[in-house]
Amino acid sequence: MAKTVTLSIDSRGIARITIARPERKNAFDAALIAELAATVRQVDPAARAVVLQSEGDAFCAGADVEWMRGMADYSLDDNIADSKALAAMFRALYDLEMPLVARVQGAAIGGGAGLVAVADIAVASTEASFAFTETRLGILPAVVSPYVVRKIGPARATALFVTGSRIDAKRAHEIGLVERLAEPPDLDAAVGRVLDAIASGGPKAVNTAKRLVREVEGRRIDEVTDLTVKRIAEIRVSHEGQEGLRAFLERRDPHW
């Protein structure tokens, strides 16, 4: 059976995970979910960033209709097992140490919009669209909800969840689901600029900065003061921190 998820890495250490099921709009089924989760866990820990992308005109259409039809008679235990697999896939993406960049060329629906939410930075085509349509099927965007609420906040998540309304790329950018927009011919260049910016930073500093946001999120300043003092002190005395400072003072590019 042909693989529907592939992993590659370039000379700069940029990993790319590609969902290749364009004939089904890159929609999820049990096999794709398992394959994507397994592929994420194969990413080299030394990778500078991971790009999540897909083939065809849709980014990801959510759950595959045929797969959903087959689940119609699932028991509660069957549904719990299936949902755990989906949750594990999203958690694997969330747990990546390095930045996760989503390249969104088209529609991202349901779980597909969840992939956009779990990404650290989403770069979308102006022709992309987004929706959490689960309630229109009498179900819930439950597994993706922690990532969506974290990304866009409870009020906007509520509005999108209860209406199931589709929004365009401009609105997705306005509410923070998408970080950057690009015209379709410029999408790859826009993703490239994000990757260039990530690669210009120290590898350890970039990954620690990503983790730092999660460590301080939702906590009072006095609760995290000691943590932030420790983080900056540790990175300053590290080899990478010392090299970055020397390069700045010597007006040269750092060696990393």
Side-chain angles (χ1 to χ4, degrees):
M1 181 181 295
K3 293 189 68 173
T4 55
V5 182
T6 60
L7 172 64
S8 63
I9 189 163
D10 66 19
S11 59
R12 290 199 303 168
I14 305 299
R16 291 181 184 269
I17 296 174
T18 305
I19 303 172
R21 202 175 181 231
E23 73 283 359
R24 304 298 295 178
K25 302 293 184 183
N26 299 306
F28 294 131
D29 61 9
L32 190 149
I33 289 168
E35 195 174 338
L36 180 53
T39 302
V40 173
R41 297 186 184 104
Q42 293 168 9
V43 171
D44 186 340
R48 296 301 316 273
V50 176
V51 179
L52 180 62
Q53 58 189 26
S54 62
E55 296 182 355
D57 59 0
F59 178 67
C60 176
D64 184 274
V65 174
E66 294 302 318
W67 180 49
M68 292 177 67
R69 183 176 289 115
M71 290 192 294
D73 296 324
Y74 274 20
S75 67
L76 176 60
D77 287 344
D78 290 335
N79 273 284
I80 287 174
D82 177 79
S83 297
K84 281 184 176 179
L86 185 62
M89 182 201 76
F90 278 101
R91 185 59 189 264
L93 288 163
Y94 181 77
D95 284 344
L96 284 167
E97 293 185 18
M98 65 293 296
L100 175 63
V101 180
R103 175 194 179 276
V104 188
Q105 80 278 25
I109 309 300
L115 292 176
V116 178
V118 79
D120 298 300
I121 301 172
V123 183
S125 162
T126 52
E127 293 186 355
S129 60
F130 308 81
F132 299 93
T133 56
E134 286 86 348
T135 56
R136 297 189 178 190
L137 302 175
I139 56 176
L140 296 171
V143 171
V144 302
S145 61
Y147 309 106
V148 180
V149 173
R150 180 177 180 266
K151 178 65 73 73
I152 65 175
R156 285 168 171 155
T158 300
L160 290 176
F161 287 179
V162 303
T163 65
S165 298
R166 186 177 293 228
I167 59 173
D168 61 17
K170 180 181 177 182
R171 181 58 180 161
H173 180 254
E174 289 172 349
I175 66 176
L177 184 61
V178 167
E179 175 65 21
R180 300 191 185 190
L181 296 179
E183 295 297 322
D186 301 324
L187 181 59
D188 287 323
V191 171
R193 287 190 290 272
V194 170
L195 297 173
D196 289 343
I198 291 170
S200 70
K204 183 178 179 181
V206 167
N207 291 359
T208 304
K210 170 177 173 171
R211 185 174 76 247
L212 182 64
V213 173
R214 299 180 183 183
E215 291 175 325
V216 304
E217 180 186 13
R219 301 173 65 185
R220 298 194 312 271
I221 292 174
D222 59 347
E223 289 181 312
V224 297
T225 297
D226 289 346
L227 170 69
T228 58
V229 167
K230 181 181 179 182
R231 289 286 179 267
I232 185 60
E234 288 174 339
I235 201 76
R236 280 177 177 168
V237 300
S238 71
H239 173 76
E240 185 174 290
Q242 290 290 301
E243 167 60 15
L245 178 59
R246 283 194 297 269
F248 175 76
L249 295 175
E250 296 168 8
R251 299 183 179 182
R252 61 172 174 81
D253 292 334
H255 300 302
W256 51 53

